Amino acid sequence: MMEIIDGGLTTPQGFKAAGVHCGVKYRSLDLGMLYSEVPARAFVGYTSNKVKSAPVQVMMAENSEFLSAVVVNSGNANALTGRRGIEDAITMKNVAAMELNIDPKQVGVMSTGLIGRFMDMHKVRYGISRAARELEFGREADSLLAEAIMTTDTIKKESAVRVRLTDGTLVTIAALSKGSGMIAPHLKVLQGTTLCMVTTDAVLSENFHGTWENILEDSMNMVTVDGDQSTNDTCALLANGKAGGNCADGDPNFIHALQKVMTDIAKMLALDGEGATKLIEVQVFGAETKKDARSAAMSILNSPLVKSAIFGSDPNYGRIMMALGNSDCKFNIENVRLTIKGGDMEVPILDSGAPVFQEERSVEVVRMAMDNKEVTIVVDLAAGSESAVGWGCDLTYDYVRINAEYAT
């Protein structure tokens, strides 16, 4: 029913991409373009940070419900750049529209990089013109676009699946994201940066907005590297309908496949956090409300003490409970159960508010579980039936070094 495939943004029918070097960064590729041969219905989530970058402001104010292209630059966030930044973002849209012979309202624009620097529009115009001429489909084009949007990322973050809908139509979904630091997205539909583009050749209607927002809540919005939400966070789903078939709005196969892709991207973002050596997954069960479950997971993931303990494989579970207690969720400590998983080990830590063990030998077992590339913290609040899963990473010496030197 669903097949995980080696694919990128151009794997769904009708999409092309390009990535070029235009001089925003010294040597690396720094400008990318995604293009749909027919206007694609767009579902876009934007940062909830009150300080929004120029591209975010422009897209929120000017874009239509359909997009034919998205232009992305790295190396400059175009944030805190005043009226000039707004004008530069509009210029990026207009130049791309002219090159592609489309309506400027059907061009999205995203930027990532240093905040508070003006764009060199001579270079950016050249990059957009060149990218428009070099649009192609295939894995090489996917790779060039992926490289062009990276900042401190160390890996390309792609996921793609092929799924057969309930009416028999075969559709493809692909996603590309960047993000390594300044990550704690809180993306709202129709409202170090996380940028994400998702393409599909399925047919979707405007009624899919609510479903898309729910998927974002359970994927991108459950990722945190450092608890700092960027000024530029943007996530755009483009559906061009080239596969045909019935509208996939309520198709369970499509929704499951899209959830799979977005969850994969969320975990990649967490694992590639600046300086990260471990992926932390927090599973919360038994919450009274969904909001409580999410709050508990994110409070644990955002705790510098928890993150530091995971980095050092330090079995100090008191830090986890401290972070849980600082969340907004409701629970009775006498009913809480805590388990830590790592590798093939699953170690119960706390039951009914008291430690399962205190012997030194048992503590070493916990340390062994934590000394894995992926560590899972399971919390059962025993207060209801709601659950949530979130992803983060450890806090390392390199995170401090990278961010202490970012602007220099």
Side-chain angles (χ1 to χ4, degrees):
M1 188 177 295
M2 181 178 71
E3 176 189 6
I4 299 170
I5 59 176
D6 176 23
L9 289 184
T10 69
T11 306
Q13 300 177 57
F15 288 96
K16 294 182 178 181
V20 301
H21 171 66
C22 68
V24 177
K25 294 194 290 192
Y26 181 57
R27 289 182 178 173
S28 307
L29 300 188
D30 49 22
L31 190 138
M33 182 179 289
L34 174 66
Y35 173 72
S36 176
E37 294 174 345
V38 297
R41 187 174 291 279
F43 307 89
V44 189
Y46 302 104
T47 181
S48 296
N49 193 316
K50 296 182 182 67
V51 179
K52 291 177 170 57
S53 69
V56 169
Q57 293 181 58
V58 169
M59 281 191 70
M60 291 180 71
E62 296 190 3
N63 279 97
S64 74
E65 60 182 331
F66 290 90
L67 290 178
S68 293
V70 179
V71 179
V72 190
N73 76 273
S74 59
N76 189 321
N78 194 9
L80 292 178
T81 46
R83 183 59 204 173
R84 174 172 164 179
I86 297 291
E87 291 171 353
D88 288 345
I90 293 172
T91 297
M92 290 176 69
K93 287 164 55 70
N94 289 340
V95 172
M98 181 181 66
E99 293 287 343
L100 298 169
N101 194 28
I102 57 177
D103 187 335
K105 291 184 178 180
Q106 292 185 5
V107 179
V109 59
M110 303 179 187
S111 297
T112 181
L114 285 171
I115 292 174
R117 304 281 179 88
F118 292 125
M119 303 281 280
D120 186 333
M121 292 306 295
H122 175 73
K123 295 176 179 177
V124 173
R125 286 191 187 93
Y126 161 75
I128 293 173
S129 177
R130 182 179 166 193
R133 294 193 305 269
E134 296 183 10
L135 287 167
E136 293 287 351
F137 63 87
R139 294 302 283 135
E140 182 178 354
D142 294 335
S143 182
L144 290 172
L145 175 55
E147 184 179 342
I149 70 173
M150 294 169 70
T151 50
T152 55
D153 304 66
T154 64
I155 59 172
K156 296 172 184 175
K157 302 172 180 70
E158 294 178 306
S159 178
V161 300
R162 189 172 289 119
V163 61
R164 192 168 295 282
L165 305 184
T166 53
D167 69 353
T169 305
L170 191 63
V171 304
T172 305
I173 306 170
L176 167 68
S177 186
K178 67 80 52 187
S180 193
M182 202 187 289
I183 294 179
H186 189 64
L187 298 157
K188 291 295 183 182
V189 175
L190 295 177
Q191 294 184 355
T193 297
T194 304
L195 301 183
C196 184
M197 291 173 281
V198 187
T199 58
T200 182
D201 45 22
V203 177
L204 296 177
S205 79
E206 61 182 4
N207 298 323
F208 194 69
H209 280 291
T211 303
W212 176 234
E213 188 167 54
N214 289 336
I215 291 173
L216 285 178
E217 286 283 8
D218 287 332
S219 56
M220 301 295 285
N221 289 356
M222 292 302 294
V223 179
T224 181
V225 168
D226 43 28
D228 288 327
Q229 184 186 170
S230 171
T231 57
N232 293 57
D233 288 343
T234 308
C235 183
L237 166 63
L238 275 61
N240 66 11
K242 292 280 280 186
N246 295 334
C247 179
D249 284 4
D251 193 298
N253 295 349
F254 179 80
I255 293 171
H256 175 66
L258 183 56
Q259 288 171 329
K260 162 65 176 171
V261 167
M262 297 310 296
T263 298
D264 285 349
I265 291 293
K267 294 172 76 171
M268 290 179 205
L269 286 166
L271 184 57
D272 194 35
E274 288 172 339
T277 64
K278 298 179 182 178
L279 172 68
I280 307 172
E281 179 171 289
V282 175
Q283 302 173 358
V284 176
F285 298 97
E288 184 176 300
T289 66
K290 191 74 169 179
K291 181 179 178 182
D292 279 1
R294 289 170 174 155
S295 174
M298 295 306 283
S299 183
I300 293 169
L301 287 165
N302 277 324
S303 168
L305 289 177
V306 172
K307 291 159 69 71
S308 299
I310 298 296
F311 171 58
S313 301
D314 179 17
N316 189 344
Y317 63 86
R319 293 180 173 182
I320 298 173
M321 299 309 296
M322 170 278 299
L324 175 63
N326 278 326
S327 73
D328 294 329
C329 74
K330 300 175 184 177
F331 64 90
N332 183 335
I333 186 62
E334 294 181 357
N335 298 326
V336 174
R337 291 188 293 275
L338 173 67
T339 303
I340 292 181
K341 300 179 181 179
D344 58 358
M345 302 180 69
E346 180 173 336
V347 187
I349 306 294
L350 198 74
D351 193 359
S352 301
V356 174
F357 59 82
Q358 289 186 317
E359 297 82 2
E360 184 62 30
R361 180 181 175 185
S362 298
V363 171
E364 286 304 311
V365 174
V366 182
R367 192 187 305 276
M368 291 169 61
M370 296 173 71
D371 195 23
N372 281 275
K373 181 76 172 177
E374 298 186 13
V375 178
T376 302
I377 298 170
V378 183
V379 180
D380 185 350
L381 298 173
S385 58
E386 294 293 339
S387 62
V389 181
W391 303 274
C393 60
D394 55 347
L395 180 59
T396 70
Y397 308 123
D398 275 347
Y399 177 85
V400 177
R401 178 187 59 79
I402 290 167
N403 284 282
E405 302 170 355
Y406 192 83
T408 55

